[in-house]
Amino acid sequence: MLLKLYHCNMQTKCGVSLMQKILSVLLLILCSAWLVRAQAQPLKVAFCDGDRAPYVLRNETGGLTGLDVEYWSALLENMRRLAGVSNVSEDLRNVLRQPPVVTVMPQKALLQQLKQQLYDIAFCAIQVDLDLSNFVDFSLPYATAGYQGVVIKQDSPIDGMTVLQQAFGTSNAWALFSLLLLVILSIIFAHLIWIVERKDNPNINKYYGPGVFDSWWLGIVTAMTVGYGDKVPVTVQGKILTIAWMFAGTYCVGMFGAAVTSTFVNSQNLSYLPPADKLLQIQKVTDLDGYRLGTSSVIAKHFLEQQLLNSTVLVYENVTNLLSALVNQTIDVAVDETWTVRWLLQNDPTFKDNNLIQVGDVFEHRPRVIAIGRPGYDVDKVYHLVQVAQSDLMYGTGELNYKLLLEKWLKASVKTTPSTYIDRFDKALMRWCIIYMIGLGIFMVLWGLFVIWHYWNEIKQSRIRFGLLRSMGLGLKFSQKDLRDGARKLFKEVDSNQDGFVDVEEILDFFRGLGQELSDRDVQMCSTSDASSGTLT
């Protein structure tokens, strides 16, 4: 009996010892799990790599830089500062104290892994997307960007013929109509005036053909308000008809002048606009109609297709391939995110010297946000702190630094304004005006030389005459007495041997003394010659 009781007690002790061991193991496992959970895990941050300048790009050493990278550095610093003064859990403070784990991957892979809840925070100039919103939360917008067209700038040459074409303007229906109306009414007026004036007006020919032409001349001069006065009506009926024609003719001429002037005032009425210049005139989305379009954004493709444009839209893998297609003229217009394209055009040597230029307005503006992961489809504990830190950074204590950051990466890439056809035409017009003036000056000089050569004999005789008058002490006006006195004075000066006769040699010597080189023929043209003696009397 005692043996049996001892055996039972031993079994009870053994059972208690076994239970203690099991409880100890379970307690050890729970403590280990608590310690593992209590150990803070760093934030997992992802950036996209590739054509996302100026948001994310590589510097000269291969490190990350750009708007998103510097914005995250400022935001993380602000989150740590706010976590130290606000009511957040100690776990979150421990998370923020550790350096975040940064991963760089292509944009498509980043978006896919966001849906798998593998990262806490992601930067890639992300746009708010309905499908992506099922897996992540979006922060406050830190930038705004839209889409804009890019074309090849090809300034077509503007030669002298183009300037002349533009000077005459485009065909204008109103100008043609007013001119035809003026001609028709003037012909009717000419017939009426000839009928009432042909018998009484000496300036109007009484015969039909010449008389109607005289009357038509009177009508045109009156309508143009020139008023030569060589032909005027003399009858009452003719004067009444002319008064009526003054109003009708002035109206036609005024309408013609207004129609022609509108061609020069209205900048849209260009007589010559090459296709390359038409691309530079793109302003609105509807101006893209009829062109071959390309984009690297599915959102931009859907937007363009919704505009019902008569255009084909090709989608490229990235912005670099898109711009390369534009350079190779596979497409006419590239449409993509305005800041990314502008940065590449100004900083990427591949496209910097290819005369690519952004045109038109920016359309479909969309905010750029941060994607914040939600493990287990629950709101992440970091989400609210990110929102508060963003608000303080952009609108509170860090507003100045935030504006400087945008100025550095976005505003610094200034949009290049293309020179319009009107601007280039004005410069070409001034250049050709100078050329035309030089040509006109050369023509005037040649014309003057031709006139001098044609009238050289008359000019020579005039010089001889004025030389004689000066030698006789006479001006342009003189009396007979002055002429006789001057002739006596001149004769004495010319008659060097005082023999009472003046021969040709004495006259030639006299004019040589005055600086005039004359021949015998010149003297004979100005005097009466005695062929037998060779003397002049």
Side-chain angles (χ1 to χ4, degrees):
M1 183 70 181
L2 290 173
L3 183 60
K4 184 177 181 181
L5 181 61
Y6 175 78
H7 180 70
C8 292
N9 289 336
M10 288 298 295
Q11 287 183 340
T12 302
K13 289 181 180 180
C14 291
V16 172
S17 176
L18 181 61
M19 290 296 296
Q20 288 178 346
K21 291 180 179 180
I22 293 173
L23 290 174
S24 298
V25 172
L26 291 175
L27 182 62
L28 180 62
I29 293 173
L30 290 175
C31 289
S32 300
W34 181 83
L35 289 174
V36 171
R37 183 180 177 185
Q39 184 177 1
Q41 298 295 324
L43 286 176
K44 292 179 290 183
V45 182
F47 289 93
C48 64
D49 195 10
D51 293 321
R52 298 310 298 169
Y55 302 100
V56 182
L57 61 154
R58 298 282 185 177
N59 55 25
E60 296 178 353
T61 61
L64 290 181
T65 186
L67 174 62
D68 285 5
V69 177
E70 293 192 11
Y71 183 77
W72 164 242
S73 298
L75 182 62
L76 178 61
E77 182 181 350
N78 212 30
M79 289 171 61
R80 288 170 175 170
R81 181 180 62 82
L82 292 175
V85 297
S86 59
N87 186 20
V88 298
S89 64
E90 188 62 30
D91 292 344
L92 183 55
R93 289 193 180 96
N94 292 332
V95 168
L96 294 175
R97 290 191 186 104
Q98 301 185 57
V101 178
V102 178
T103 306
V104 182
M105 65 186 71
Q107 181 181 9
K108 290 184 178 179
L110 185 147
L111 296 177
Q112 186 63 33
Q113 294 192 25
L114 276 177
K115 295 179 181 180
Q116 299 174 9
Q117 307 296 319
L118 298 179
Y119 293 96
D120 298 311
I121 295 176
F123 288 87
C124 191
I126 297 173
Q127 303 181 45
V128 176
D129 181 76
L130 183 61
D131 179 55
L132 190 60
S133 65
N134 295 322
F135 306 95
V136 298
D137 288 311
F138 298 114
S139 70
L140 297 175
Y142 63 90
T144 302
Y147 297 93
Q148 194 173 12
V150 185
V151 300
I152 300 177
K153 182 183 178 184
Q154 296 176 337
D155 292 342
S156 55
I158 301 177
D159 53 16
M161 185 58 66
T162 303
V163 172
L164 292 177
Q165 291 175 353
Q166 184 65 38
F168 287 103
T170 59
S171 57
N172 191 310
W174 279 109
L176 181 61
F177 170 75
S178 58
L179 187 61
L180 290 175
L181 184 63
L182 176 65
V183 173
I184 293 171
L185 293 180
S186 64
I187 292 175
I188 295 174
F189 169 77
H191 282 79
L192 295 177
I193 284 292
W194 178 75
I195 292 173
V196 300
E197 292 282 331
R198 70 182 188 278
K199 295 180 180 179
D200 301 317
N201 196 331
N203 296 319
I204 303 295
N205 198 303
K206 64 180 180 179
Y207 295 104
Y208 174 74
V212 171
F213 182 79
D214 291 338
S215 300
W216 186 73
W217 168 260
L218 169 62
I220 293 298
V221 169
T222 303
M224 296 294 180
T225 66
V226 177
Y228 280 125
D230 57 340
K231 300 183 187 300
V232 294
V234 296
T235 64
V236 176
Q237 299 90 332
K239 292 179 179 179
I240 294 174
L241 285 173
T242 304
I243 291 174
W245 170 244
M246 287 179 184
F247 287 100
T250 303
Y251 174 80
C252 294
V253 173
M255 183 166 57
F256 176 77
V260 172
T261 303
S262 66
T263 302
F264 300 97
V265 174
N266 190 351
S267 60
Q268 300 300 321
N269 293 336
L270 300 175
S271 62
Y272 176 72
L273 193 59
D277 289 286
K278 290 182 180 178
L279 287 172
L280 296 177
Q281 303 300 318
I282 292 176
Q283 295 296 328
K284 307 182 294 298
V285 178
T286 54
D287 294 337
L288 299 173
D289 187 44
Y291 291 111
R292 297 172 300 169
L293 308 179
T295 183
S296 66
S297 170
V298 178
I299 296 176
K301 179 179 184 295
H302 292 163
F303 176 82
L304 293 172
E305 291 176 344
Q306 291 172 1
Q307 306 306 309
L308 301 178
L309 301 174
N310 185 25
S311 304
T312 57
V313 183
L314 302 179
V315 179
Y316 292 85
E317 183 178 359
N318 50 52
V319 183
T320 301
N321 293 345
L322 171 66
L323 296 180
S324 299
L326 180 62
V327 172
N328 297 329
Q329 298 185 357
T330 306
I331 56 177
D332 299 319
V333 184
V335 181
D336 216 275
E337 206 262 14
T338 180
W339 299 122
T340 299
V341 172
R342 191 173 301 176
W343 180 272
L344 291 175
L345 295 186
Q346 295 183 356
N347 297 278
D348 193 328
T350 306
F351 308 109
K352 192 173 183 180
D353 300 324
N354 280 314
N355 289 328
L356 300 183
I357 191 167
Q358 292 178 299
V359 295
D361 299 328
V362 180
F363 59 90
E364 194 66 4
H365 292 265
R366 294 206 172 196
R368 297 299 185 255
V369 296
I370 306 170
I372 304 174
R374 293 186 299 182
Y377 299 96
D378 293 327
V379 176
D380 189 82
K381 56 188 177 181
V382 182
Y383 175 74
H384 295 293
L385 183 59
V386 171
Q387 297 281 53
V388 175
Q390 270 193 292
S391 300
D392 183 69
L393 177 62
M394 295 187 295
Y395 311 112
T397 57
E399 182 178 5
L400 179 59
N401 293 331
Y402 169 70
K403 289 182 177 180
L404 293 176
L405 190 62
L406 293 182
E407 187 74 23
K408 174 182 177 181
W409 292 104
L410 300 185
K411 307 303 180 183
S413 54
V414 180
K415 175 184 176 182
T416 304
T417 303
S419 59
T420 63
Y421 179 75
I422 294 296
D423 297 333
R424 293 191 296 107
F425 181 83
D426 289 341
K427 294 180 181 179
L429 180 61
M430 181 59 66
R431 182 173 64 253
W432 280 100
C433 282
I434 295 174
I435 295 174
Y436 290 150
M437 286 190 293
I438 294 174
L440 180 61
I442 294 173
F443 171 77
M444 296 297 293
V445 170
L446 295 176
W447 183 41
L449 293 175
F450 173 77
V451 171
I452 293 173
W453 172 79
H454 184 74
Y455 293 100
W456 178 249
N457 291 332
E458 290 83 349
I459 295 173
K460 210 169 186 180
Q461 293 177 13
S462 298
R463 292 179 63 190
I464 294 173
R465 180 175 180 272
F466 286 120
L468 291 172
L469 291 175
R470 285 196 300 269
S471 299
M472 292 188 295
L474 301 177
L476 294 177
K477 295 182 179 181
F478 49 84
S479 63
Q480 290 292 333
K481 181 178 180 302
D482 295 334
L483 180 60
R484 287 192 296 269
D485 295 340
R488 293 189 187 97
K489 176 184 177 182
L490 177 62
F491 187 85
K492 291 179 180 179
E493 293 181 6
V494 176
D495 188 14
S496 58
N497 54 13
Q498 303 296 322
D499 58 358
F501 295 94
V502 177
D503 55 21
V504 174
E505 290 300 325
E506 290 178 328
I507 294 176
L508 293 178
D509 291 339
F510 172 76
F511 276 102
R512 290 192 188 101
L514 296 178
Q516 302 289 340
E517 289 293 336
L518 301 178
S519 63
D520 297 351
R521 183 174 176 275
D522 295 328
V523 176
Q524 291 171 2
M525 287 190 301
C526 301
S527 308
T528 303
S529 176
D530 186 349
S532 61
S533 64
T535 61
L536 300 177
T537 59

